[in-house]
Amino acid sequence: MIITILTLFPDFFATPLQQSILKRAREGGHVEYRVVDIRDYCRDKHKTADDTPFGGGPGMVLKPEPLSRAIESAREYSPSSECIYLTPKGTSFHQKTAEELARKEHFILLCGRYEGIDERIRQHWVDREISIGDYILSGGESAALVVIDAVVRLIPGVLGNEQSLDDESFSPYLLDHPHYTKPAEFKGYRVPDILLSGHHEKIQRWRLEKAREETRKRRPDLYKEHLHSLKKKKGP
Ligand code: SAH
């Protein structure tokens, strides 16, 4: 998979893509990150990427020319590649979105800044818009990192233990069960006995029960989906 990131701040990605799973995924040949500086597509002497908004008002808007050139150049790799603009106006990013993106060969993440991008780019060059939540960030870079992190760990072979994906929060609409590690007693707090019992089946049952309990308490909306998915599995 190739992920192209279009940004005015390429240095933003220098460290995060060099850590842990994102780094291992790249080194293992599962993914290539292409961080592209939008300014490289500005043709004027001062490399101006933004300008004042027509109609007045505060803030700056990313100019259409460099953005269209950067997107078109990224698409040369594969003309059908989706260009995804990160924006609070986009569709909410979910685990399901990450699963879908993890199956792609190439996609482009466009990071906005200031007041955002010229509307013509949004309408005619962007294929999809994603929001990572109902809040305003100062730029799309941190949102792009959230998307990359959630997607790359789902590429087959990236996580050592494939099974660990199945157990996770959201997969079957359940939040994860609690985790404990050594020591068995810490400052007077003990690990639940069942986890020390060595009884694999009972442990699995306990984990599922805890996962359901946590989901019911914290995310009744998800719990409803979980019950619904169980019903669907069983059939009428
Ligand atoms: N004026 C815009 C916000 C611009 S914030 C508005 O009110 O909609 C600057 C940039 O940060 C945006 O272009 C977008 O790329 C990014 N951004 C901000 N909040 C975001 C969010 N919740 N999800 C994804 N990207 C976001």
Side-chain angles (χ1 to χ4, degrees):
M1 174 191 288
I2 295 177
I3 304 177
T4 302
I5 304 150
L6 307 180
T7 171
L8 281 176
F9 297 91
D11 289 350
F12 199 99
F13 297 91
T15 318
L17 300 179
Q18 282 302 330
Q19 311 291 322
S20 182
I21 289 171
L22 296 186
K23 176 186 179 187
R24 279 213 318 267
R26 183 176 54 77
E27 287 178 347
H30 299 288
V31 63
E32 184 189 321
Y33 311 112
R34 291 189 183 163
V35 183
V36 175
D37 189 342
I38 293 167
R39 249 179 255 283
D40 290 347
Y41 293 89
C42 297
R43 298 220 173 121
D44 64 307
K45 206 169 67 196
H46 301 290
K47 302 228 167 255
T48 318
D50 56 324
D51 210 334
T52 52
F54 274 124
M60 299 297 269
V61 178
L62 295 195
K63 288 167 68 60
E65 307 93 320
L67 290 179
S68 66
R69 283 186 212 117
I71 294 168
E72 281 163 17
S73 164
R75 276 211 181 107
E76 273 168 21
Y77 171 75
S78 156
S80 62
S81 294
E82 253 192 305
C83 176
I84 302 169
Y85 175 44
L86 297 149
T87 165
K89 291 200 219 171
T91 314
S92 301
F93 185 63
H94 284 295
Q95 189 65 13
K96 283 249 176 301
T97 331
E99 284 166 10
E100 186 210 326
L101 292 177
R103 290 192 288 270
K104 293 204 178 288
E105 231 177 88
H106 178 223
F107 60 90
I108 302 161
L109 293 174
L110 171 59
C111 306
R113 277 272 158 181
Y114 320 120
E115 289 305 317
I117 63 174
D118 187 284
E119 182 69 9
R120 291 161 290 185
I121 294 297
R122 203 182 74 73
Q123 286 185 358
H124 305 292
W125 274 263
V126 165
D127 302 297
R128 192 203 290 216
E129 295 169 272
I130 288 181
S131 162
I132 64 157
D134 287 342
Y135 35 76
I136 307 293
L137 302 165
S138 50
E141 286 77 9
S142 40
L145 280 174
V146 167
V147 171
I148 294 169
D149 190 340
V151 169
V152 168
R153 58 196 297 289
L154 294 178
I155 302 173
V158 167
L159 290 190
N161 182 358
E162 294 286 322
Q163 207 224 321
S164 69
L165 285 175
D166 293 338
D167 288 352
E168 283 184 322
S169 295
F170 300 116
S171 294
Y173 301 106
L174 280 183
L175 299 179
D176 204 0
H177 57 76
H179 298 267
Y180 294 88
T181 184
K182 293 177 211 63
E185 185 169 333
F186 174 65
K187 295 188 190 273
Y189 300 110
R190 279 188 56 76
V191 168
D193 286 334
I194 182 89
L195 296 179
L196 310 174
S197 69
H199 198 302
H200 186 67
E201 219 183 285
K202 276 191 187 159
I203 292 172
Q204 286 309 93
R205 228 179 298 139
W206 179 87
R207 285 182 168 161
L208 180 61
E209 197 35 57
K210 285 285 163 195
R212 299 181 75 170
E213 202 179 295
E214 299 242 343
T215 313
R216 202 168 45 225
K217 264 196 285 187
R218 294 169 191 234
R219 291 287 305 275
D221 57 319
L222 262 189
Y223 191 66
K224 241 168 126 180
E225 299 249 28
H226 167 67
L227 293 180
H228 189 66
S229 77
L230 287 185
K231 250 196 220 152
K232 261 210 304 218
K233 238 192 238 168
K234 275 196 201 137

